[in-house]
Amino acid sequence: MPPVWIMRQAGRYLPEYRRIRARERRFLDLCYSPDLATEISLQPIRRYGLDAAILFADILLLPHALGCKLDFPEGHGPRLSPVRTQGDIDALAPAAAIHNHLAPVYRTIENLRRDLPPATALIGFAGAPWTVATYMIAGRGTPGQEPAHMLIREDQRLFDRLIDHLTDATILYLSEQARAGAEVLKLFDSWAGSLTRSTALFDRYCSRVHRRIFKALRRNFPAVPLIGFPRGAGRRYASYVASTGVDCIALGTDIDATEAARDLQPRACVQGNLDPKFLVSGGAPLIAETRRIVAAFAGGAHVFNLGHGITPDADPDNVRRMIDTIRR
């Protein structure tokens, strides 16, 4: 029986979260309130008895700590002050200056370490530099991350400088999460798929950057397992695992479980990779697909999860059915 947790398990599909959200209108107020963020992180643990809790936060808190303006307008995705020029990068705070701004996040981790059941793991996380950079350059999420690709074409040295700055800050951010009590660390590269158009781009801005972050974390926290999530990597998952030496590879829905069991599971623990749509539709297909994934990965280390974050329209009862199916 594999352990199970769910990407974005703390949040928008749960009625208990929606009650808090209705009272606290600004999303950032939730992230920066240790008491509220602790409560939200614990809600799915209480409801489902999941094997791991993940910190309730957002990948864009890091650019916010570096000095970018950030807001989450009601009904829209995040909005940031864009970073597109040398002057914009020069105006960012030094990587070492992030901790005062992010202190509430570290206090949330300390709270969770105190309040979680002893057998429940606590996962900290950060957005990978490529994914975070795509939001910073465009000032918002964009299809295909074209503004970031355009900056690479027009001024790669400038883009590299932004990536280096984010990499340094990410190492410091995850290190402080580990010191606060996070037992596992995950790097979310949600838009890594748009780098797969080029082997050189994927290697330069995904694999090499992740390797640098993981190497620094291993040096200081050798007992903390590391999860990499290069979502959409497709046929590049194998080279990513070989290059980074990651402990656990989180898989998107772009790879079949049977293929991943053959090619990836001998090299690392695998995490995934149920399509989140099954938690909306439910029924016999949800049970059948859950069983298929468990069976495919039964020969090695596997953490059951989704291929991406749970969606707001997911039915909490379907989450229960999925968990019961895994545990039976």
Side-chain angles (χ1 to χ4, degrees), residues 3-328:
V4 55
W5 68 278
I6 306 166
M7 284 188 278
R8 289 185 179 167
Q9 67 187 23
R12 52 199 180 165
Y13 70 104
L14 288 176
E16 51 265 50
Y17 169 80
R18 290 175 182 166
R19 287 192 288 272
I20 293 177
R21 190 73 170 90
R23 191 172 69 241
E24 305 288 339
R25 302 302 297 177
R26 290 188 73 243
F27 176 74
L28 285 175
D29 290 344
L30 302 181
C31 295
Y32 289 130
S33 166
D35 289 343
L36 289 174
T38 299
E39 168 59 24
I40 293 167
S41 301
L42 290 171
Q43 286 174 347
I45 306 304
R46 295 194 195 105
R47 181 183 272 259
Y48 299 119
L50 292 156
D51 295 294
I54 187 165
L55 167 72
F56 178 78
D58 191 271
I59 65 170
L60 298 181
L61 299 188
L62 184 60
H64 198 209
L66 290 170
C68 292
K69 294 179 181 177
L70 174 63
D71 194 19
F72 290 82
E74 194 72 30
H76 299 277
R79 297 291 186 268
L80 301 92
S81 51
V83 176
R84 297 170 181 161
T85 67
Q86 185 70 57
D88 293 337
I89 294 176
D90 290 340
L92 294 175
I98 64 173
H99 295 311
N100 284 341
H101 185 99
L102 295 169
V105 177
Y106 309 142
R107 287 199 296 275
T108 299
I109 293 172
E110 292 169 355
N111 290 350
L112 287 168
R113 191 63 277 139
R114 178 196 66 210
D115 295 344
L116 280 169
T120 305
L122 174 56
I123 303 171
F125 74 93
W130 160 253
T131 289
V132 173
T134 66
Y135 284 99
M136 293 173 71
I137 292 163
R140 59 193 299 172
T142 52
Q145 296 71 58
E146 282 307 317
H149 284 286
M150 185 177 296
L151 183 58
I152 292 172
R153 292 191 294 269
E154 293 177 351
D155 194 341
Q156 191 166 29
R157 289 180 64 185
L158 181 65
F159 184 82
D160 286 351
R161 186 160 178 233
L162 176 58
I163 289 291
D164 285 343
H165 195 63
L166 287 171
T167 301
D168 291 341
T170 302
I171 291 168
L172 293 173
Y173 183 34
L174 289 173
S175 295
E176 200 62 25
Q177 290 187 36
R179 290 189 188 95
E183 298 169 292
V184 182
L185 296 172
K186 182 169 181 178
L187 198 57
F188 282 84
D189 219 344
S190 302
W191 302 130
S194 72
L195 291 170
T196 59
R197 63 183 75 174
S198 160
T199 299
L201 283 177
F202 186 84
D203 185 53
R204 182 168 184 155
Y205 296 121
C206 182
S207 295
R208 287 189 204 170
V209 171
H210 290 211
R211 182 169 67 237
R212 179 178 158 194
I213 293 169
F214 293 152
K215 184 177 179 180
L217 293 171
R218 281 203 179 93
R219 185 167 55 245
N220 295 316
F221 306 97
V224 174
L226 304 172
I227 306 172
F229 184 37
R231 178 175 171 244
R235 59 190 177 88
R236 303 191 194 280
Y237 280 115
S239 65
Y240 172 90
V241 171
S243 174
T244 62
V246 72
D247 298 299
C248 181
I249 177 70
L251 306 173
T253 56
D254 55 313
I255 184 169
D256 182 74
T258 302
E259 178 186 347
R262 181 191 68 219
D263 298 339
L264 302 175
Q265 205 173 24
R267 305 182 185 187
C269 176
V270 292
Q271 179 183 284
N273 64 332
L274 183 75
D275 193 319
K277 70 182 182 184
F278 285 103
L279 295 180
V280 179
S281 57
L286 164 64
I287 294 171
E289 186 66 6
T290 300
R291 287 175 174 166
R292 187 186 72 82
I293 291 171
V294 170
F297 289 128
H302 176 216
V303 177
F304 194 98
N305 209 305
L306 308 182
H308 195 36
I310 189 169
T311 56
D313 53 346
D315 184 342
D317 289 339
N318 286 335
V319 176
R320 169 62 65 193
R321 292 185 187 99
M322 178 194 74
I323 294 168
D324 288 346
T325 300
I326 294 165
R327 291 180 172 166
R328 280 200 298 267

